Amino acid sequence: MSIEIRNIRKQFGQFTALDNVSLDIAAGELLALLGPSGCGKTTLLRIIAGLEKPDAGQVLFGGADATHTHVAERQVGFVFQHYALFRHMTVFDNVAFGLSVKPRRERPSQEEIRERVMKLLKMVQLDWLADAYPGQLSGGQRQRIALARSLAVEPKVLLLDEPFGALDAKVRKDLRRWLRELHNDMHITSVFVTHDQEEALEVSDRVVVMDHGHIEQVGRPDDIYEHPATPFVTQFLGDVNLFHGRVDAGQLTIGSYEQALGQHQDADGDAAVAYVRPHDLDLTLQAAGALAQGRVEHIHAVGPVVRVELQQADGQTIEAAVSKERFRALGIVPGDTVYVTPRKLAVFLQEDAGQQDYVI
Amino acid sequence: MSNILNLRHSVLPGFRLSFGITLFWLALIVLLPFAALVYSTVGMGWDGFAAAVGSPRVIAAIRLSFFTAGLSALINLVFGFLVAWVLVRYPFPGKRLVDALVDLPFALPTAVAGIALTTLYAPNGWIGQYLAPLGIKVSFTPLGIIVALTFIGLPFVVRTVQPVLEDLEKELEEAATCLGASRWDIFRRVIFPATLPSLITGGTMAFARATGEYGSVIFIAGNIPMVSEIAPLIIVSKLDQFDQQGATAVALVMLGISFVFLLLINLIQWWAARRHGAR
Amino acid sequence: MATLTTESRPVRYALTAVALVFLFLFLLLPLIGVFWEALHKGWQLYLAALVEPEALSAIRLTLIAAGIAVPLNLVFGVAAAWAIARFDFRGKSLLTTLIDLPFAVSPVVAGLMFILLFGANTVVGGWLQDHGLQVIFAVPGIVLATVFVTFPFVARELIPLMQSQGADEEQAAIVLGASGWQTFRKVTLPNIKWGLLYGVILTNARAMGEFGAVSVVSGHIRGETNTIPLHVEILYNEYNFVGAFACASLLALLALVTLLVKSLVEWRLHRQQQASTLRTAAARLQAQAAQP
């Protein structure tokens, strides 16, 4: 079922959690809401679920207005960050809960409930734990039971709040892949909230990046990573180096470095910031055509990529990531002066980066 | 000493001193009197014990004590839960004052509570005057004992249930709501089972306290033999007649029955805790 | 508060009303009754009941008993909490249970135990009496019974408090070179002072108000071995209601002060906790902001 979110606003006292947010979610899609804590992503998820009422705006399920539909009637599955399993019930009773509270007319028979619960437990590969209590399970197992419980009522929409947030790194990776596969099998419209960009980019069909109660960018993971729409998205998606300069009629100037951009054609000597990811910076020993220069401070040579930290004359640091081969060819040691050239950069005029106070 | 105690090493000093003071004071104030009780029990002999406890008046008193204590504990389970629920969940003016008031039975000396309740529930008292025309007599009847014991036991239930209700995660109720459960379903199947262990604990504490209660009861009970005479009063009146052996025998029976109750309830708690795993 | 996880308004109002009516009838009305009965015949009678010699003697004895029991149990409570909350040793849970024992015993049985120990016809009691010390039906017995019933209060307040605070701060102090006593005075005491105050207040309230245990060992000798609660009983049984309730009102006032201090202490502890959560939250925010 598709979900449409129209002009949603939500205030908590003085704090604006959501400021006029609109978003379309296609049926069968797996969507990630990504952002730092306090950006409004969880509030948006809870409003979709009906756990929170928006101050203004509408939520449409399959084209029909569901803004005032009670949670219990929305047919959403919600998976909580800390699982919210009923600890006095067995795993089986937890999963069966949604079926057993249905009004008598709609309630399946005992055998039918048993069959459906066991099928779900098999699906999450925990049928052997049916008689255990939540307290006896590991974090990853609890999370899978929470998921099975939410699926038992055959929801039209599955909502997950930081589903892997409370798990350790290894389990987290396994569960991510598993969730992706599960979604491929079931094709239920799913939305999950995360503050981990790697998780969002890896698992979802589309990513919604949020900050300060509004949507910064919506797009496919590779799209967002390659073409971040705002400085915030650029910085949030990974490590990045900042270079300050000017743009005049599509021509970028940073110190003596110049480059023609395919954008900002109408800029008129505006201050601009160029963002370059460490692996998009090449190191050279030639000054000609270099973006900047610096003294090598640290070299981290563990793994396939060598990370080199440079210090510029003004004290700013630059981080570059080069391949082992390239590093060997350069033969640099701490204390050397090297030059950097960008392979790819994202340039934003200063007015776009307005909220952040950069020192030029 | 630290060898016998298997003391784990710590950089903090003062174990010998603090442990010494603790043990000395415990031995003097608590263990010695208990030893005296055990000593005189051993010297009593079965016949003396049976004669002291077997009389119909004593049996009636012990029965009355446990019956009224049980009933008042049940009343407190219902109203104590309700009070805790309202204090945790619903906003109302003067809440902090009401919250503080709940501890009154802990702080108010029992004799004061006793004479105050007796006066309130006497046929011409503030409450008694409305009950008398209905034919309900409270003061000087077993009903009065239940009123006094309910007063004494209330904070035990409220104060054990209240923190559990406060710590109950909101997500549990939200999860149940998402799964289509009604408020009543949620209360019955999620909230109530989660608070049940604390209810049992609080109810047990109220019950245990009520079986031994003396000060607040003797005024309102009227102390009519076979009707409204409680077991602690039997102990006192035997002591007044210098029948220490008889008093000891009754005390032992009281302690024994209380012990069995406590053991049972601890077993239930232990079983429940084990079932529900580590958390 | 989210409307989702609560009841409909009528249900809420009805439940609140039932709870409040119950509390009014069972708790507030008796309290009001005490003061009304004490004062409704006028101030003069009230004051006269308080300054008559037997009342004064009862007040004096109550103050003596509490004055001895409270400091002793304070020292004991702090020592027990230090040993139990700061060290790991075999038999710790047994020790904790034994400390709680006086709570589990009927006050009447507590009094009985002291009679069995110190009564005139027992070995210990007889020996003490031969040497000129009468315990039962005298002041020492009253003090002993009071100490017994108030035995666990301070330890009970402090042990969970100190356990939840952990020993990190004290260990840090020792590592920094503080002596044991300095550590206790400068680190432990400031951390537990509110809990300690509440424990003392509770001990005091119970010490001054104890009836059953003291009643058994006192012998009810007017003007000599009567505490305020015992005096209240005598006056009440003589149908001197104004006198009984006047003395009772003193104890009720004490109860009100106890409740007040308790609320205050809880408020302080709550604020302490809130301040520390705020500090950690602020630190976390700063750490986040510091990241590029």
Side-chain angles (χ1 to χ4, degrees):
Chain A
M1 188 163 60
S2 69
I3 306 170
E4 286 163 67
I5 292 151
R6 287 194 192 148
N7 308 98
I8 292 282
R9 269 176 207 286
K10 180 73 185 174
Q11 291 267 140
F12 292 111
Q14 291 295 305
F15 180 73
T16 305
L18 291 172
D19 186 10
N20 202 17
V21 168
S22 297
L23 179 67
D24 284 348
I25 304 168
E29 185 172 36
L30 176 52
L31 186 90
L33 296 176
L34 173 67
S37 51
C39 73
K41 56 190 191 302
T42 297
T43 307
L44 182 58
L45 192 77
R46 289 171 62 87
I47 285 176
I48 297 174
L51 289 170
E52 215 80 65
K53 282 218 178 312
D55 298 335
Q58 280 182 304
V59 177
L60 282 73
F61 277 20
D65 189 356
T67 316
H68 301 289
T69 312
H70 191 264
V71 217
E73 284 139 34
R74 284 199 192 193
Q75 293 185 283
V76 295
F78 199 102
V79 178
F80 292 82
Q81 182 177 3
H82 299 288
Y83 328 120
L85 293 177
F86 308 127
R87 72 185 68 140
H88 59 278
M89 294 182 201
T90 60
V91 163
F92 181 92
D93 290 337
N94 262 284
V95 177
F97 184 86
L99 298 173
S100 66
V101 293
K102 278 184 190 291
R104 194 149 297 166
R105 286 172 282 110
E106 302 165 32
R107 196 186 307 160
S109 68
Q110 287 297 323
E111 301 88 81
E112 213 174 318
I113 289 181
R114 169 141 212 104
E115 208 170 292
R116 269 165 72 175
V117 170
M118 289 318 286
K119 206 176 119 195
L120 278 164
L121 286 177
K122 273 205 188 75
M123 189 186 77
V124 299
Q125 298 149 6
L126 291 174
D127 47 331
W128 51 286
L129 281 175
D131 293 325
Y133 284 88
Q136 301 161 333
L137 307 185
S138 72
Q141 290 170 335
R142 284 183 208 176
Q143 188 59 285
R144 282 189 276 166
I145 295 302
L147 194 62
R149 181 177 70 179
S150 65
L151 292 173
V153 288
E154 297 177 336
K156 301 206 168 108
V157 172
L158 183 61
L159 306 170
L160 307 101
D161 184 11
E162 298 267 6
F164 315 117
L167 301 170
D168 58 50
K170 171 82 178 73
V171 182
R172 212 176 167 128
K173 265 212 149 106
D174 290 347
L175 267 181
R176 261 191 226 166
R177 193 172 317 122
W178 180 79
L179 178 68
R180 179 72 245 180
E181 283 165 11
L182 190 76
H183 183 262
N184 289 346
D185 293 345
M186 310 225 322
H187 274 294
I188 175 170
T189 312
S190 307
V191 182
F192 77 98
V193 155
T194 179
H195 63 265
D196 180 341
Q197 74 281 2
E198 205 185 310
E199 194 166 287
L201 297 176
E202 186 185 312
V203 178
S204 60
D205 296 326
R206 278 199 310 158
V207 179
V208 177
V209 186
M210 296 182 66
D211 186 38
H212 286 105
H214 59 262
I215 292 176
E216 290 272 326
Q217 190 174 4
V218 185
R220 298 207 338 265
D222 50 340
D223 229 27
I224 287 205
Y225 192 78
E226 293 301 325
H227 307 289
T230 65
F232 172 81
V233 176
T234 317
Q235 297 201 59
F236 193 75
L237 289 187
D239 295 339
V240 74
N241 296 294
L242 273 62
F243 300 94
H244 297 274
R246 290 193 176 279
V247 176
D248 193 31
Q251 185 76 14
L252 172 71
T253 311
I254 299 172
S256 59
Y257 178 81
E258 296 212 353
Q259 188 185 337
L261 305 172
Q263 49 178 158
H264 303 308
Q265 298 300 337
D266 47 358
D268 181 21
D270 296 331
V273 182
Y275 295 81
V276 190
R277 302 221 179 272
H279 57 258
D280 286 332
L281 274 180
D282 192 18
L283 296 179
T284 66
L285 299 172
Q286 284 111 44
L291 172 61
Q293 69 173 73
R295 209 162 49 87
V296 176
E297 283 285 307
H298 282 290
I299 296 171
H300 309 277
V302 180
V305 171
V306 180
R307 305 186 85 89
V308 181
E309 218 176 285
L310 310 175
Q311 183 150 43
Q312 288 177 276
D314 60 1
Q316 300 268 38
T317 54
I318 302 175
E319 196 180 309
V322 295
S323 68
K324 266 221 157 98
E325 292 73 33
R326 178 74 188 144
F327 175 71
R328 281 201 204 97
L330 285 166
I332 51 175
V333 292
D336 288 356
T337 296
V338 291
Y339 302 87
V340 296
T341 53
R343 273 190 289 268
K344 180 168 165 297
L345 36 64
V347 177
F348 297 101
L349 299 185
Q350 197 73 61
E351 69 213 20
D352 296 339
Q355 354 150 298
Q356 295 159 28
D357 46 341
Y358 298 119
V359 187
I360 302 179
Chain B
M1 181 170 74
S2 44
N3 261 345
I4 309 168
L5 291 170
N6 200 7
L7 178 71
R8 174 116 45 92
H9 173 77
S10 166
V11 295
L12 297 181
F15 178 72
R16 276 161 178 277
L17 179 67
S18 59
F19 189 74
I21 294 176
T22 307
L23 219 53
F24 170 74
W25 202 232
L26 184 72
L28 189 71
I29 297 299
V30 179
L31 300 184
L32 204 60
F34 263 94
L37 184 69
V38 173
Y39 177 78
S40 47
T41 309
V42 173
M44 192 185 312
W46 175 249
D47 289 343
F49 179 81
V53 175
S55 83
R57 188 171 160 188
V58 173
I59 291 175
I62 290 174
R63 273 221 329 244
L64 179 70
S65 268
F66 282 95
F67 172 73
T68 51
L71 219 56
S72 68
L74 283 181
I75 295 172
N76 275 328
L77 281 180
V78 175
F79 284 96
F81 184 89
L82 178 67
V83 168
W85 177 269
V86 167
L87 281 175
V88 171
R89 299 259 166 157
Y90 305 148
F92 58 89
K95 187 162 170 170
R96 283 193 48 180
L97 225 58
V98 174
D99 192 56
L101 187 70
V102 168
D103 280 326
L104 184 71
F106 281 160
L108 194 70
T110 52
V112 178
I115 61 171
L117 289 171
T118 311
T119 310
L120 281 185
Y121 285 92
N124 58 350
W126 288 350
I127 298 177
Q129 59 180 313
Y130 299 108
L131 298 177
L134 305 172
I136 303 171
K137 274 199 70 182
V138 178
S139 279
F140 317 123
T141 68
L143 199 57
I145 302 176
I146 292 171
V147 168
L149 295 181
T150 305
F151 174 87
I152 293 298
L154 180 72
F156 288 99
V157 177
V158 178
R159 291 303 184 224
T160 43
V161 173
Q162 202 175 6
V164 177
L165 279 177
E166 267 164 11
D167 289 350
L168 208 64
E169 304 148 80
K170 210 175 83 197
E171 282 81 13
L172 287 181
E173 291 170 57
E174 289 180 347
T177 312
C178 283
L179 293 167
S182 68
R183 274 314 285 173
W184 175 242
D185 281 330
I186 294 174
F187 176 78
R188 200 167 50 95
R189 301 196 42 188
V190 177
I191 299 173
F192 184 72
T195 48
L196 189 60
S198 66
L199 267 174
I200 296 176
T201 308
T204 312
M205 284 160 68
F207 175 78
R209 172 73 200 268
T211 54
E213 178 56 23
Y214 177 69
S216 61
V217 176
I218 54 161
F219 297 100
I220 204 169
N223 310 326
I224 307 154
M226 306 297 295
V227 177
S228 62
E229 192 180 38
I230 54 166
L233 185 66
I234 294 268
I235 298 176
V236 172
S237 49
K238 280 193 186 293
L239 280 177
D240 283 345
Q241 296 153 19
F242 299 101
D243 177 11
Q244 288 181 6
Q245 207 176 51
T248 309
V250 177
L252 276 178
V253 172
M254 294 289 295
L255 285 176
I257 297 176
S258 298
F259 179 74
V260 169
F261 268 108
L262 289 182
L263 197 71
L264 265 177
I265 281 158
N266 270 325
L267 272 177
I268 296 173
Q269 291 274 29
W270 175 79
W271 172 76
R274 222 176 60 118
R275 237 170 58 121
H276 300 157
R279 281 186 7 137
Chain C
M1 198 181 183
T3 47
L4 275 170
T5 47
T6 188
E7 287 66 38
S8 64
R9 193 180 294 244
V11 175
R12 279 194 333 248
Y13 284 3
L15 290 178
T16 310
V18 172
L20 289 182
V21 166
F22 175 80
L23 289 178
F24 176 77
L25 288 180
F26 269 80
L27 297 188
L28 197 56
L29 216 50
L31 188 64
I32 297 170
V34 170
F35 290 104
W36 195 82
E37 292 286 341
L39 289 167
H40 80 288
K41 296 236 168 99
W43 277 100
Q44 287 82 7
L45 275 178
Y46 177 76
L47 288 177
L50 290 183
V51 297
E52 59 137 349
E54 282 168 11
L56 283 178
S57 130
I59 293 171
R60 196 168 56 239
L61 182 57
T62 298
L63 290 177
I64 290 173
I68 298 173
V70 173
L72 286 178
N73 279 335
L74 168 66
V75 172
F76 158 77
V78 172
W82 183 262
I84 288 171
R86 289 293 174 261
F87 296 93
D88 260 330
F89 52 90
R90 195 185 330 201
K92 193 154 113 172
S93 57
L94 176 69
L95 185 63
T96 320
T97 312
L98 287 178
I99 288 174
D100 274 349
L101 209 53
F103 276 163
V105 174
S106 166
V108 170
V109 176
L112 167 70
M113 292 193 299
F114 282 101
I115 288 186
L116 295 177
L117 185 60
F118 293 116
N121 52 351
T122 65
V123 182
V124 184
W127 184 83
L128 285 174
Q129 202 155 31
D130 290 344
H131 290 76
L133 180 66
Q134 192 181 356
V135 177
I136 299 304
F137 306 142
V139 176
I142 292 173
V143 172
L144 275 175
T146 307
V147 173
F148 180 89
V149 293
T150 57
F151 184 82
F153 280 106
V154 175
R156 259 266 179 118
E157 274 309 306
L158 290 188
I159 292 171
L161 182 65
M162 284 175 67
Q163 273 171 342
S164 74
Q165 284 172 347
D168 292 355
E169 290 183 32
E170 278 112 1
Q171 284 172 357
I174 296 284
V175 170
L176 290 169
S179 72
W181 175 240
Q182 282 173 324
T183 305
F184 177 76
R185 213 159 39 92
K186 297 195 167 169
V187 178
T188 312
L189 210 52
N191 276 336
I192 63 169
K193 63 180 176 208
W194 292 106
L196 190 64
L197 175 65
Y198 181 47
V200 166
I201 280 285
L202 267 185
T203 308
N204 184 58
R206 185 72 196 269
M208 292 191 170
E210 177 51 29
F211 179 74
V214 171
S215 164
V216 170
V217 297
S218 110
H220 303 269
I221 306 163
R222 282 192 146 193
E224 275 181 45
T225 61
N226 264 353
T227 60
I228 304 178
L230 300 181
H231 191 58
V232 168
E233 183 199 18
I234 291 180
L235 294 175
Y236 188 84
N237 286 340
E238 288 170 349
Y239 303 102
N240 179 357
F241 291 136
V242 171
F245 278 102
C247 290
S249 73
L250 289 183
L251 295 171
L253 269 180
L254 177 72
L256 287 180
V257 170
T258 307
L259 294 186
L260 189 75
V261 172
K262 186 195 175 200
S263 304
L264 211 69
V265 167
E266 266 173 4
W267 180 69
R268 291 302 297 232
L269 282 176
H270 182 70
R271 264 206 351 182
Q272 237 173 37
Q273 260 166 19
Q274 251 183 354
S276 70
T277 6
L278 272 180
R279 269 202 301 276
T280 22
R284 198 176 322 125
L285 278 179
Q286 268 172 4
Q288 271 174 3
Q291 283 169 5

